């Protein structure tokens, strides 16, 4: 069931959710690696970082992963929405072009029928 006022189908919502979840996982992994490297550098080079409690170090690591997941999920969701808008615009343009093409074909066939009725009696001079 779609939320109240939503015009999106369950299929679109599922695709958006999967895009955001993939982005969150990738972002958490990327930022997790980055914060782990920073944590290692802090342990090696900084006496202040070494004096922090393990709980605070874990908090810093998890905060970085959460931030990365949030940023990448937002980025992927925006890209998904942009691709959907482009697809809908392309579909509208195709439908519009198809309508114009059908009108053109109709006009050409009517013109050919008119020529066939008028010119089929051998009225041309040689």
């Amino acid at each position: 069931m779609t939320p109240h006022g939503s015009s999106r189908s369950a299929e679109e919502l599922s695709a958006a959710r999967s895009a955001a979840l993939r982005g969150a996982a990738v972002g958490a992994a990327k930022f997790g690696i980055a914060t782990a490297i920073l944590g290692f550098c802090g342990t090696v080079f900084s006496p202040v970082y070494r004096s922090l409690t393990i709980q605070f170090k874990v908090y810093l690591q998890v905060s970085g992963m959460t931030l990365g997941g949030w940023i990448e999920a937002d980025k992927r969701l925006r890209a998904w929405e942009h691709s959907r808008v482009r697809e809908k615009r392309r579909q509208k343009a195709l439908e519009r072009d198809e309508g114009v093409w059908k009108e053109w074909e109709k006009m050409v066939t009517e013109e050919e029928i008119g020529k066939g009725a008028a010119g089929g009696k051998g009225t041309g001079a040689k």
Side-chain angles (χ1 to χ4, degrees):
M1 181 171 187
T2 60
H4 179 67
S6 176
S7 62
R8 295 182 188 228
S9 68
E11 181 180 293
E12 285 181 325
L13 292 174
S14 177
R17 180 177 47 246
S18 65
L21 286 174
R22 267 185 268 130
V26 168
K30 286 194 311 193
F31 275 62
I33 291 170
T35 54
I37 291 170
L38 290 173
F40 176 75
C41 291
T43 301
V44 171
F45 299 114
S46 174
V48 174
Y49 186 82
R50 278 188 295 241
S51 69
L52 297 175
T53 63
I54 189 69
Q55 293 90 348
F56 193 69
K57 290 177 183 178
V58 169
Y59 169 75
L60 292 175
Q61 178 73 27
V62 171
S63 295
M65 293 175 70
T66 302
L67 178 67
W70 175 65
I71 290 171
E72 190 69 24
D74 185 58
K75 177 182 172 186
R76 297 267 179 119
L77 189 57
R78 287 178 183 256
W80 179 84
E81 287 176 340
H82 183 67
S83 71
R84 292 294 301 159
V85 167
R86 270 196 336 244
E87 177 64 27
K88 286 183 179 181
R89 284 183 183 162
R90 187 183 69 79
Q91 188 66 29
K92 279 185 178 180
L94 285 175
E95 289 172 2
R96 186 176 52 242
D97 290 347
E98 185 178 329
V100 169
W101 183 255
K102 285 183 180 181
E103 287 179 26
W104 179 259
E105 285 180 335
K106 182 180 174 184
M107 185 178 69
V108 168
T109 55
E110 287 174 357
E111 188 175 297
E112 287 176 355
I113 291 172
K115 282 183 179 178
K121 304 266 183 183
T123 58
K126 289 189 179 186

